[in-house]
Structures are given as C-alpha cells and as structure tokens.
Amino acid sequence: MFVHWMAYVLINTIMFSPAEEMESTDFTDVQNMYRFLVTRLEEGASIRQIIRSNLSTLARWRVSRSPENHALEAYELYLGLFETEEDSYRGGIACKDLYLTNEDDGYLIRRTDFPNTTPQLILSNQYITTCDDLYEVIAGHPLLIPRVVEVIFNYFVELREDNLEYRQGMINAIAMSNPETFDDIFTAILFSREYLLNIERPRTIEENLLPVLEAMKWDPRNGSGDIDRSIFRDMTELSNRRLYMHGMGWATMEYKIGRLPDVPLDGLSFANYHKSMREVVLMDKDFYDASNNEGDNFLYDENGDIKPFIENMSLNDFIDYVFLTALQRKASDSEKIDLIDVYQTSAGYPGASSGDQTTTDDDGNTIIRDGRHDEVAQITFDYITRLPEFYYFRSVN
C-alpha cells in the first residue's frame, strides 16, 4: 500500500502527470503511467532509473508532443532549469528522428529513419547525438536529485514567506543524504521533525475524507449513505456527485503541470470541499442511524444496537467521543455548554426527530434520550464541519 500511495503522489506531480486534460492523452495514459510507477517502485528501481525509463514512454511523449518540447520539458521537469531555449533547440535536433502522430493516427511515436548524426552541445558541457543520449544526460545530471526532492517536499510542507530558508535547508539536507530510491525521499520527509511536529497546512480532500470514514468504521460493502463501492469513481469522474474532486480544483492525474502543491481554497473550490465533507459524510445519518445500519459502525453494532460502552457514556464523554472521531481532539468546556443548549432546542433540525435530544436522569444529570445518539452525533458533526481546523493540519509545536 505504501508503494501505491507513493505512486499516487508522484503521478499528481509535474514530473509524472499523464495530463489527461490534453487532447493527445486519454485514460489509457493514466493507467499506463500509474502501472509503470507501481511496477518500478515495487522492483526497487532507483530514482534515476525510473526517470530514465519514463522519458522514452508514449505517455511522456503524448504530453510533450514534439522533439524540441520533449527536450524542453525534460530540463524543466527533472532538472528545474527554465532558461533553456538554445539547449531545447539542440535537444530537439538530437530527437528529430522521433515524432508523435496526429489524432487520426492515434498519437503514437514514430521514427523518420533520418537520425541526427551531428553531436549537439547542451547544458554547457554535454554532447549528445541521439534522444537516448539526452535521456542519459538528464537521468545522470547532478541537479536531478535536488529537483525531485523539492517537487515531492512541496506537497508535504507548505511554502510560506517565513519558512523559505528553512525549507531549502531541509531539501538540501535530504538531497545531500544521497537518496537512491523514492522510498528514501518519502520516508525522510514523513519521519522528519518538520513534518511530524511543525507542519501546518490545509488537508487535501483525500487526507480528510478517508481518515474520517475509517474513524466512523465505514464499509463500502454496506452502501451506507451516499457513498458506496463507487466512491473513487464518484471522486474522479464527471458526474453530479458532490465528491467530484474536479469541482474542488483538485482533480487527480489530470493537469499537465500536475496538482499545485497548495490545496485550492478559492470560494468555489472550498465550498465544494466543505459540502462533500458536511453533506455527503458527516451530516448523512445513513452512516450511523440504527434504522439504516447494515453493519458495525462507530455507534451501533451489526444488530443495530447502540454499543454498550457508548450507551454508558455521560453526555460530556459522548461529545468528546464524537469530536475525537472527526477532529482528533476533545471538545472544550464552552463548546460542550453551547452544544448541549442546541441539543435541547433542536426540534426541526435536519434529520432529527421532533423534540429535544436530551433529558435528565434521576440524579438531575443531563443525558441522551434513548435512540437519540445518532441525532446528537449529527448536530455535533455539523458544528465540527464549520471549524477551520477541521480542514487543516495543525502544528504540534
């Protein structure tokens, strides 16, 4: 699963994006690129080997489309060099015997049978004659590893004006550790003090949705709520589904430049993100209403009965339980006071039965009415989805 996760991150970067949005690409390129990454990562191939192999693939040519642009994008994507007009021209000469056919012929790589025979000087000190020579220069270049580290690092640590020097120091430190594989880079980032303790950035929809579903013990086989076995199809295919990530400005494997490292927070993108978490998951009682329950979840057992440890909870403890499920923290005292007031005046609340959700026991303590745990959870979740912190990783320090 770690390999598949790394492949998913990489295929959404500018280095490996299959760019499905382009007219010369299609879903086959997405499949081929993803399978290529998974296979090579499982084999333990080095960073340089994977990039060298990718440069010659049809999926890469379908994005670059011409010999000169193929060289240009090789410099930009894998070396971080963006002022290479003359080098791109010469790289195009080295690759001139290759070309991409037009739409009628299926956008395939073909050869002219007129290969270049004149050595071309690129990047100040490298002579190349063929496209294979260009690939070897790119894959073996000293700028490649720092560039790869930077691209991946940007997806985990937010770029801010106050952390530029520190970020560059982190990137340089990882690059100077001489990582051989993508595993080396990912683990260096994930187990760094910066990522574990200091990171503060918006959560992606995947980083928010999937852990919440796991905490709620959602099972796709049960078809709970509006999410079932087709969850990933709903997230990635054009449809009216509110989980569709393109509407959040966060489509996967689609953009030529890959996903931008920063999660889109413009009004429309974030509104769709918020609606997907609030309406499709947390406010949909089909995920935890006993009458709709088809299996064990975070409130009810497989028989639709409230779990004993939850039934025995005090109201305050139950509020903390719901907070921990969705927000990974307990509720503050003031939040509990205000929420309890809502529970007691929530007749007509969406999805709730008439009357309040709480009562008092013989000792005068406020408790949850029988069968109302799901409604209390729904109201609590509604509040949580309105908190900015629900959409952010917060710094431990």
Side-chain angles (χ1 to χ4, degrees):
M1 293 308 298
F2 184 54
V3 164
H4 280 270
W5 176 78
M6 286 192 293
Y8 184 75
V9 173
L10 290 172
I11 203 171
N12 280 302
T13 69
I14 193 172
M15 297 185 297
F16 295 102
S17 175
E20 192 186 8
E21 66 181 354
M22 299 179 66
E23 64 178 18
S24 54
T25 61
D26 56 33
F27 186 64
T28 301
D29 298 299
V30 174
Q31 292 176 311
N32 290 342
M33 181 61 74
Y34 188 76
R35 176 49 51 192
F36 164 79
L37 287 170
V38 169
T39 301
R40 297 314 305 274
L41 290 169
E42 286 179 337
E43 293 172 350
S46 71
I47 298 166
R48 296 186 186 276
Q49 289 171 336
I50 290 176
I51 289 176
R52 168 63 181 85
S53 299
N54 181 57
L55 281 165
S56 60
T57 61
L58 176 60
R60 176 90 284 277
W61 269 90
R62 282 184 167 180
V63 176
S64 58
R65 305 210 285 193
S66 73
E68 186 171 329
N69 198 53
H70 194 65
L72 171 70
E73 293 187 4
Y75 302 137
E76 292 181 347
L77 272 57
Y78 304 112
L79 303 183
L81 298 176
F82 297 92
E83 300 294 334
T84 59
E85 182 177 353
E86 188 63 28
D87 292 309
S88 299
Y89 171 74
R90 293 172 178 170
I93 292 175
C95 295
K96 73 175 187 176
D97 62 320
L98 298 171
Y99 69 96
L100 192 72
T101 63
N102 60 26
E103 181 179 6
D104 292 339
D105 292 321
Y107 293 116
L108 301 174
I109 300 175
R110 292 289 183 261
R111 291 188 178 273
T112 65
D113 289 329
F114 296 99
N116 173 62
T117 58
T118 305
Q120 303 292 315
L121 177 63
I122 63 169
L123 304 178
S124 300
N125 61 0
Q126 299 283 345
Y127 280 96
I128 62 172
T129 303
T130 67
C131 218
D132 284 336
D133 294 339
L134 172 67
Y135 300 156
E136 294 296 335
V137 169
I138 298 298
H141 201 281
L143 290 178
L144 182 136
I145 297 300
R147 167 64 175 173
V148 171
V149 173
E150 179 183 31
V151 170
I152 297 173
F153 189 84
N154 288 342
Y155 280 80
F156 294 95
V157 180
E158 187 176 31
L159 178 64
R160 304 189 310 270
E161 291 185 2
D162 63 347
N163 74 347
L164 297 181
E165 185 175 344
Y166 182 72
R167 288 178 79 263
Q168 194 58 52
M170 286 281 296
I171 292 170
N172 292 342
I174 295 173
M176 291 177 64
S177 69
N178 298 317
E180 292 288 332
T181 65
F182 281 106
D183 300 54
D184 295 336
I185 295 176
F186 277 100
T187 53
I189 295 171
L190 295 176
F191 294 102
S192 68
R193 178 177 296 272
E194 173 65 20
Y195 182 74
L196 293 175
L197 301 181
N198 300 329
I199 183 177
E200 185 156 312
R201 63 166 175 82
R203 299 173 188 255
T204 68
I205 180 64
E206 298 100 326
E207 290 170 332
N208 207 352
L209 172 66
L210 300 177
V212 166
L213 290 177
E214 173 68 15
M216 296 174 71
K217 300 187 182 301
W218 169 76
D219 189 328
R221 293 169 297 183
N222 293 339
S224 301
D226 200 30
I227 301 180
D228 53 22
R229 292 174 183 266
S230 64
I231 176 173
F232 296 116
R233 188 179 298 274
D234 293 341
M235 294 173 72
T236 56
E237 288 190 355
L238 179 60
S239 67
N240 293 322
R241 294 283 187 174
R242 289 165 290 177
L243 287 177
Y244 185 42
M245 291 191 292
H246 185 80
M248 306 174 201
W250 196 244
T252 182
M253 313 179 198
E254 183 170 329
Y255 312 118
K256 179 176 180 179
I257 60 173
R259 282 176 169 175
L260 295 177
D262 296 329
V263 177
L265 295 178
D266 59 276
L268 178 60
S269 297
F270 182 69
N272 287 326
Y273 181 176
H274 167 74
K275 281 174 67 68
S276 69
M277 293 302 302
R278 179 177 182 270
E279 297 179 8
V280 184
V281 182
L282 295 178
M283 287 289 289
D284 188 343
K285 284 205 305 174
D286 284 349
F287 278 104
Y288 43 90
D289 187 325
S291 61
N292 295 311
N293 187 47
E294 298 180 28
D296 177 81
N297 63 32
F298 82 111
L299 288 182
Y300 299 97
D301 61 25
E302 61 276 5
N303 298 316
D305 297 322
I306 192 75
K307 293 182 176 179
F309 78 93
I310 293 176
E311 189 174 23
N312 294 329
M313 283 182 177
S314 68
L315 178 57
N316 284 344
D317 286 342
F318 182 72
I319 295 173
D320 284 336
Y321 176 67
V322 176
F323 263 71
L324 288 167
T325 298
L327 203 59
Q328 297 84 55
R329 73 164 173 86
K330 294 182 178 182
S332 67
D333 290 340
S334 61
E335 286 173 325
K336 291 175 181 177
I337 292 172
D338 290 339
L339 282 168
I340 290 172
D341 183 59
V342 176
Y343 305 148
Q344 295 172 337
T345 58
S346 58
Y349 196 87
S353 304
S354 59
D356 62 54
Q357 275 68 56
T358 60
T359 185
T360 55
D361 62 16
D362 295 338
D363 297 324
N365 299 312
T366 301
I367 59 173
I368 301 173
R369 288 182 179 273
D370 290 340
R372 297 292 178 86
H373 284 80
D374 51 358
E375 294 171 359
V376 171
Q378 183 188 46
I379 295 170
T380 309
F381 282 142
D382 189 10
Y383 168 75
I384 290 172
T385 63
R386 300 169 190 270
L387 296 174
E389 67 181 278
F390 181 62
Y391 305 94
Y392 281 82
F393 285 118
R394 302 182 69 186
S395 172
V396 174
N397 290 332

